[in-house]
Amino acid sequence: MMSLRNEKLETTMIHASTRGDYEKRSGAVNVPIYLSSTFHQDQLGEFGPYDYSRSGNPTREALEKTIAELEGGHRGFAFASGMAAISTAFMLLSAGDHIVISEDVYGGTYRFVTEVLPKFGVTHTFINFTDLAAIQQAIQPNTKLIYIETPSNPTLRITDIKGVVTLAKTHDCYTFLDNTFMSPLYQRPLDLGVDVVLHSATKFLSGHNDIIAGLAVVKDPALGERLAFLQNAFGSILGVQDAYTLIQSIKTLGARFTLSTASAEKIAHYLNNHPLIEAVFYPGLPNHPGHEIHAQQATSAGAVLSFRLANRTVAKAFVEAMRIPVFAVSLGGVESILSYPAEMSHAAMPKAEREKRGITDGLLRFSVGLEHVDDLLNDFEQALQAATNVCTTV
């Protein structure tokens, strides 16, 4: 069942999973967890809606219907991780195909494209996706996919989604878009013509650093059938307990993400005016490259920002002085998370490739959680003072 006319996404997030058959069965407010690997069939030659949980499970199906509804798609798919969703989608390609891909992508995507796909005869070209003319020039006769990540990880570069979709349709290419940083609350790529939307649902959609999950959504039914075949064939599906947990977490996404984003905007402006910070990367800042394009295709700047300090020594002093955030990989949790991309999310990239993308040894990424923003700002203040002291003594 599609969402009610004029219903806001925050409402859909709460009710989508229990619409339809679920509420008719028992009236339960929460989707049941169907802990069954197999399902009884009434008679020979006639299968029911479920037979084996790799191929379909009612709990996972409720999650898949929810994300499809939120993204405005026809069909959703839940995977064991974000990389499982991404790599399975890449299997829509065939030997001899070519990919044009943003040079600013998550390190795991970079690793898969550069080290796994070539073994199957799929080639690639990395391009600065802020330049539509460069994307156009990179398209080859055998190009079958243009892969977008916007805002990109970790420097939050912005890609003109409609512009890329127009190029892709002209050249009969798929478009995939990693929507992890924005979620469907703030950006709906299918509405802009993208073919496959991908999520590391571990991040904002889950929001509690308690599960690993990936999601994919398509609008075209035929493409959905192909992706469903691959999901079943590879078998990297999300377990039902994690699917249930993710359904519950999505219900609070609107409240969580709205508060985190409001705090992120204040922190970004604070950092943008601090003398120790060389650069701040956040789409909500008017001086951020692509700010106007992002505002046209998304409704918020999100809750992730990055900033550059002079070098690793200064960054190390800052990290060690911070008291509130978790220093870890990942993002999107209720806890603020401070990360060092060069040795965390993008460690799979060679140093020269990282630096070409602006991922310097002084770059830090900050995912804003739900702590009080005043406490976070005070923590930044004292940590930056500690880093300043290092600069003056070196």
Side-chain angles (χ1 to χ4, degrees):
M1 179 184 294
M2 295 302 291
S3 60
L4 301 176
R5 179 177 292 182
N6 297 325
E7 179 179 273
K8 303 298 184 182
L9 282 176
E10 292 87 346
T11 302
T12 305
M13 289 169 191
I14 294 169
H15 294 288
S17 62
T18 51
R19 285 180 176 141
D21 292 342
Y22 297 102
E23 61 186 12
K24 294 176 183 176
R25 290 173 189 168
S26 66
V29 174
N30 294 311
V31 173
I33 304 176
Y34 287 87
L35 292 171
S36 184
S37 60
T38 191
F39 299 83
H40 173 71
Q41 308 302 319
D42 288 337
Q43 56 185 305
L44 187 97
E46 290 188 18
F47 284 89
Y50 308 100
D51 54 17
Y52 188 60
S53 274
R54 171 168 50 78
S55 305
N57 176 283
T59 308
R60 191 174 82 239
E61 182 181 302
L63 169 62
E64 293 174 333
K65 287 182 176 179
T66 297
I67 191 60
E69 188 170 338
L70 290 173
E71 285 284 7
H74 169 75
R75 192 166 183 178
F77 304 90
F79 296 87
S81 69
M83 280 311 305
I86 290 168
S87 57
T88 301
F90 273 128
M91 290 299 103
L92 289 165
L93 302 173
S94 301
D97 287 349
H98 173 256
I99 304 168
V100 175
I101 181 168
S102 171
E103 64 183 11
D104 300 304
V105 289
Y106 168 60
T109 306
Y110 177 90
R111 179 172 52 226
F112 191 83
V113 168
T114 58
E115 298 186 29
V116 178
L117 287 181
K119 297 178 181 179
F120 298 94
V122 177
T123 58
H124 61 272
T125 301
F126 285 105
I127 292 294
N128 179 349
F129 266 38
T130 65
D131 186 347
L132 288 177
I135 299 172
Q136 169 75 56
Q137 292 175 359
I139 296 174
Q140 302 174 9
N142 61 332
T143 300
K144 298 301 179 183
L145 167 65
I146 302 180
Y147 188 98
I148 309 164
E149 186 177 300
T150 186
S152 68
N153 185 8
T155 55
L156 294 106
R157 289 185 182 178
I158 304 303
T159 298
D160 180 347
I161 299 173
K162 284 186 176 180
V164 172
V165 166
T166 298
L167 285 176
K169 292 187 182 303
T170 300
H171 294 274
D172 195 25
C173 302
Y174 288 130
T175 45
F176 295 179
L177 190 146
D178 185 332
N179 201 29
T180 299
F181 273 30
M182 287 291 100
S183 88
L185 179 64
Y186 291 150
Q187 185 168 267
R188 302 228 306 180
L190 293 179
D191 291 346
L192 301 176
V194 168
D195 294 302
V196 181
V197 174
L198 299 159
H199 291 276
S200 173
T202 311
K203 312 303 193 297
F204 288 107
L205 289 171
S206 169
H208 293 83
N209 296 313
D210 53 358
I211 64 168
I212 302 290
L215 298 170
V217 188
V218 300
K219 182 167 281 188
D220 178 64
L223 186 59
E225 288 296 322
R226 293 182 61 195
L227 194 54
F229 171 82
L230 290 169
Q231 182 192 41
N232 188 46
F234 278 92
S236 187
I237 47 92
L238 187 64
V240 293
Q241 290 182 317
D242 285 348
Y244 174 84
T245 299
L246 184 51
I247 288 170
Q248 297 302 98
S249 295
I250 288 174
K251 292 179 180 181
T252 65
L253 174 64
R256 288 187 287 106
F257 213 0
T258 299
L259 180 56
S260 291
T261 297
S263 297
E265 292 175 353
K266 293 180 180 179
I267 293 170
H269 282 90
Y270 165 79
L271 293 174
N272 202 41
N273 293 315
H274 197 284
L276 194 66
I277 305 296
E278 295 185 347
V280 179
F281 306 94
Y282 184 67
L285 293 175
N287 63 344
H288 183 82
H291 167 78
E292 293 182 0
I293 293 174
H294 182 78
Q296 293 168 6
Q297 62 194 23
T299 58
S300 168
V304 178
L305 56 93
S306 294
F307 54 98
R308 189 175 70 233
L309 295 167
N311 51 49
R312 192 181 192 278
T313 300
V314 179
K316 184 174 186 293
F318 174 84
V319 169
E320 292 176 352
M322 286 291 280
R323 298 165 183 164
I324 294 176
V326 178
F327 182 57
V329 298
S330 199
L331 56 93
V334 294
E335 305 87 357
S336 290
I337 301 178
L338 181 64
S339 299
Y340 187 58
E343 296 179 7
M344 290 181 170
S345 61
H346 289 70
M349 281 187 183
K351 182 178 176 63
E353 293 295 327
R354 289 198 306 269
E355 291 183 344
K356 186 167 67 175
R357 292 160 171 78
I359 307 171
T360 65
D361 288 343
L363 185 74
L364 292 167
R365 188 186 70 197
F366 192 68
S367 172
V368 184
L370 298 183
E371 302 92 349
H372 197 287
V373 67
D374 290 346
D375 292 331
L376 291 173
L377 287 170
N378 288 336
D379 202 14
F380 269 97
E381 180 70 26
Q382 64 83 25
L384 285 168
Q385 183 58 54
T388 300
N389 294 339
V390 168
C391 291
T392 58
T393 57
V394 173

